[in-house]
Structure formats: C-alpha cells, structure tokens
Amino acid sequence: MDVSQLEHLMRNLAIKETRTNSLDLLESKLSDVNQDIYETMLCSESLFKFLAEADADQHTTASRIIYDKALEFFPNGSASVIDRFLERCLTHPKNSVKQFGLRGAAAMVYNSATITPNTVELIIQHCLPMKEVYVDTMLNVLVKCLPPIFTEPTVQNKLVSVLQFDETVRCRVYEVVCTVLEQHPAYMQIASPVLESALADLDKDDVLLQSSVLQILTQLLTTKEGFDYIEGIDLFRKVYVNIVSVKVTPFMRFVLPNALKFYASAALIQPSLFLQRHPATVDFIFDQITPEDPMLMAIAYDCLGMVGSTNEGKIFLSDNQKLKMEQFLKEFPGILHSTTDVYKVRFIECITCLMSGGGSESIDNRVTCITQEWYETMTESKDLEMVQTLFKNPFPDIKMASLKLLSAIVDHRWGQQFFQNTACFTEQLLSRRLDTLNVNVAQFKYDVIKKLSLCPTLEPFVTDALKQYVTAGAFHREAHVEVVIEGGQ
C-alpha cells in the first residue's frame, strides 16, 4: 500500500456510506502497511473525523488495526508518533475518541509496553471525570502505571483536581489511590489530600456514598501502614459511632455489609491490637447472624470466619465470646441444612476458617483444644459425619468446600482421630467414581488424601490405602478388561 492508496482509504473512512467497507479493506491490507505508511495514517485528519463519528463496532475494528500494528512496530511502547496519537485522542472533545485513546493506552500496558507519564496524566485529567468510560480498563491502567510517578507533584495535582467532580468520580480517584497504597504503603503521606477527601465523604449523610467509601478504605487495612493510618485518625470508633450504633433504617442495610467487612479485615490484619481495642465490633458481627436477612447473615458468617481465622482471633472468641460462640455453633447445623445452596458454601467456609490452624502460624495446643471444643459443640459427636455428609453432596462447589473443611480439621490430631472414627469415610474418599465430574475437585481431593496419608495417628491399614491412592495419582483410571467369546451367549 502506498501513500495515495492510504489517503483514498482515509477519505472514504470519513464518509458514512463508505466507512464500513473502507475499514474492512484497510484491515485486509494491514500486512502491506509499513511503518512510514502507518505513521502517516496516525497523523491523518480523516482518521480523527472517522473516530469522532464511528460506532462501537467500528471502533473495535479500528483498535485492532491501529493498536496491533503499534505493538508490531513499537513493541517497547512509547514512541513519539504513538504518544502524539494518544494525546490527540485523550484531549479530543468527543468522549468516544477519548475512550479510543484509553483503549490504546490499555493495549500498550497489557502487552508490557510503556506509555509516557504525560499519557497517564491525560487519562487522569480527561478520562476519570467522564460519565461513560471503560471504568475497569481505566483503573487497571492507572494502577499499573501510577506507582513509578505517584510522588510527582503534577500527578498529585491532577488527582486532586478531579476531586471537584461528583461522588462517582471521586470514588474512582479513591479506588485508584487506595489500590496503589495497598501495593506501596510508603506513599500514605503523599496521598493524604485524597484520603482526607474520602474521609469527608464518609461523614456525609449519604449511605450509598458512605458504603462505597468505606469499602474502598478497607483496602488500606491490608498493610500495617494502612492499619496505623486508620487507627491514627480514629476511624474504627467513628464508623461504630456514626454507622453501627445508630438506629437501623432501611437505608442502613446498604452500608452495614461494608462496615462488617471493614472491621473483619482489621481483625484479620492486626488481630491482637484490634480485638483488644475494639471488642464491641465482634458483638456487632454476631448481631447480624440472623436468618431475617440471608444476605447480611452470609456476610456476617464471612466476617466471623475472618475474625476466627487467626490464632489470636480464636483465643479472643473463646475467652470473650464463649456464650455467643456456643449458641452460634449449636445453631449452625440446622441453619446449614435449611439454607439455599447460594449461601451454603459460604457458611461451610466460615467453619473452615474457625477450624483452621491459623494459616501460616504453628498450631499450638490451646488452639487445638479450642477447635476441638467448637467442633464437638457444633456436632455433639467425636466423628466427622457432618463433613462426610457434605462430601456426599454431588455439587462440585459444596464438595470442594467440604474437602477444604476436612483439610483444615485433619491438621489437628483430634481431627485425624475423628476422621478415623467416621465409618466408611476413608472408602468414600478413595472412591474415584465421581472424580471425572470436576478436575479441580479431584485434584484437591488428592491433596487432602496425600495430607492424610502422612498423618501419624491413623492406623497402618488406613495409611496404606491412602498411600496407594497417592501413588496411583490424582487422575488414575482402573483398566477394565472384558473377554468376548465368539459365538457365546
């Protein structure tokens, strides 16, 4: 393709009646486009006229043409012609063209090609405030590209300037900044103007805005620096006073789930410190475990599992919430039996967290005693019949959840003994009859059996059978030989 042919195609792209055919023709001749022709195309005014008037399908085709070729010619990303093209797109008066530029920046980033700091700033300035934008694409690009330039004054000024827009746009800024801080907590001080704006929105009498902001700020709790910041501004108490302790209204239902997750995340990251200073928040979680609102109840189960997943959390629940834990555990089998499959997996996962040995922490005797007491309170037995019943469920999600529960339980010596006390559980576990239904379940079952085969408390004949399964592999199939006799009946 030469320049004259390209110019002819570009002119036809700008004409509505010939646009689709010209676009298809251009794509078919893409292999004939060299770098000089390509750079000429990107500078064509007809191209921008086309982009301003094209529909979504035509934009998709154009993005393949322009950005695939860009990655072919400039695999490392930033080049003056690409940078100028993206700048023209991102500063174009039409939002659809801005989105086309954003799509190009994303294509470069996703293929490990670089984009300039100026391009990142233009995305902040022109795309973040847009009402209709590829939000996930934009946030992913910014989260990937911002950290190296996050401390630059121009970048911070651009982020702060966008806070003048409505709450939807402000929440986008909060999410970008908090996600960056989750990865780079050292930037906490630099981001203080944005965080202060988020806290101001949290104080407003708008439950939907409160819910969104609280959910975003919860990301900060994943690091020690973020936890210290939240603790330093007394946000744990403020949320309790302003949200949890107020009279519940129909609108509060929107913010309560995120308040639950906020406290549970804090208890998970800094269990000793948080639970010592804010024990009333656990009462708040228990108060939401009511069948009157299944959705809120499921979230409360998730959060209780988070609180009880650490050794410190288990000890706190055992020492300070003994009566509530006893009531919760005794009611659990009935609730699990009556609940829908939508929530059943989440309820099992809650018990799995409570039975776990504390993750990477070593299992001490006190935690082992607590988990055994909880299990016996819940099932009124010294076997794993409840887990066995769940394992028999044919649905892969529930079967997987039951295997995870079994894996957590047999980390304890009492769990290994209870497994051995359960009639036919070993045989059912070793059966390969249903392994073909779900590869992930079959693989995880193999991992659990391998763990059991190494348990010193099991009888030799049990471990021998388990080891035989492990030796055969996760996806072993028994060979079936049939002999057919000619003329036989």
Side-chain angles (χ1 to χ4, degrees), residues 147-275:
I149 60 173
F150 191 78
T151 59
E152 295 294 327
T154 54
V155 172
Q156 289 300 313
N157 290 338
K158 287 285 194 300
L159 288 169
V160 172
S161 69
V162 179
L163 295 175
Q164 66 180 301
F165 292 92
D166 63 27
E167 60 271 12
T168 300
V169 175
R170 294 200 302 276
C171 283
R172 291 175 187 168
V173 179
Y174 304 154
E175 185 170 355
V176 168
V177 170
C178 287
T179 305
V180 171
L181 293 177
E182 188 177 358
Q183 302 168 2
H184 304 274
Y187 295 157
M188 198 74 63
Q189 186 62 39
I190 298 168
S192 58
V194 174
L195 295 177
E196 288 169 5
S197 175
L199 295 172
D201 276 342
L202 194 60
D203 286 336
K204 292 178 180 176
D205 190 19
D206 182 337
V207 293
L208 293 179
L209 180 59
Q210 285 179 329
S211 178
S212 298
V213 173
L214 190 58
Q215 182 178 10
I216 294 168
L217 290 176
T218 300
Q219 293 177 251
L220 298 180
L221 295 173
T222 57
T223 67
K224 177 65 166 58
E225 294 86 347
F227 182 93
D228 290 342
Y229 175 82
I230 296 295
E231 182 79 2
I233 60 175
D234 202 21
L235 189 57
F236 294 126
R237 185 191 62 81
K238 290 178 182 176
V239 169
Y240 191 82
V241 170
N242 298 335
I243 297 176
V244 176
S245 62
V246 299
K247 182 179 179 181
V248 176
T249 67
F251 301 105
M252 287 304 295
R253 185 177 183 273
F254 293 103
V255 73
L256 282 177
N258 288 331
L260 283 164
K261 294 174 185 176
F262 177 69
Y263 286 129
S265 297
L268 181 64
I269 302 300
Q270 292 289 332
S272 297
L273 185 62
F274 178 77
L275 293 172

Side-chain angles (χ1 to χ4, degrees), residues 12 71 113 117 178 243 264 336 339 355 380 384 402 405 457 480 485:
N12 286 340
L71 290 166
C178 287
I243 297 176
L336 183 65
T339 193
M355 294 294 114
E380 298 181 341
L384 301 186
S402 70
L405 176 57
T457 60
H480 296 282
I485 301 175

Side-chain angles (χ1 to χ4, degrees), residues 385-435:
E385 185 177 343
M386 185 192 82
V387 184
Q388 182 184 29
T389 301
L390 292 171
F391 176 73
K392 292 177 184 177
N393 192 300
F395 293 103
D397 289 347
I398 296 177
K399 190 176 286 290
M400 177 68 89
S402 70
L403 285 168
K404 290 180 179 178
L405 176 57
L406 175 62
S407 181
I409 288 174
V410 298
D411 281 337
H412 305 279
R413 291 181 69 88
W414 65 264
Q416 298 165 22
Q417 188 60 52
F418 283 21
F419 171 77
Q420 192 161 259
N421 294 345
T422 311
C424 301
F425 202 174
T426 302
E427 291 79 3
Q428 290 168 357
L429 202 60
L430 294 176
S431 172
R432 297 181 183 270
R433 187 169 57 87
L434 300 178
D435 285 2

Side-chain angles (χ1 to χ4, degrees), residues 447-478:
D447 295 337
V448 174
I449 291 173
K450 186 175 182 179
K451 177 189 286 190
L452 282 165
S453 71
L454 301 175
C455 293
T457 60
L458 300 182
E459 295 289 346
F461 73 91
V462 176
T463 55
D464 287 345
L466 295 169
K467 288 177 180 177
Q468 185 177 353
Y469 184 100
V470 172
T471 301
F475 305 104
H476 173 74
R477 294 289 175 269
E478 295 288 346

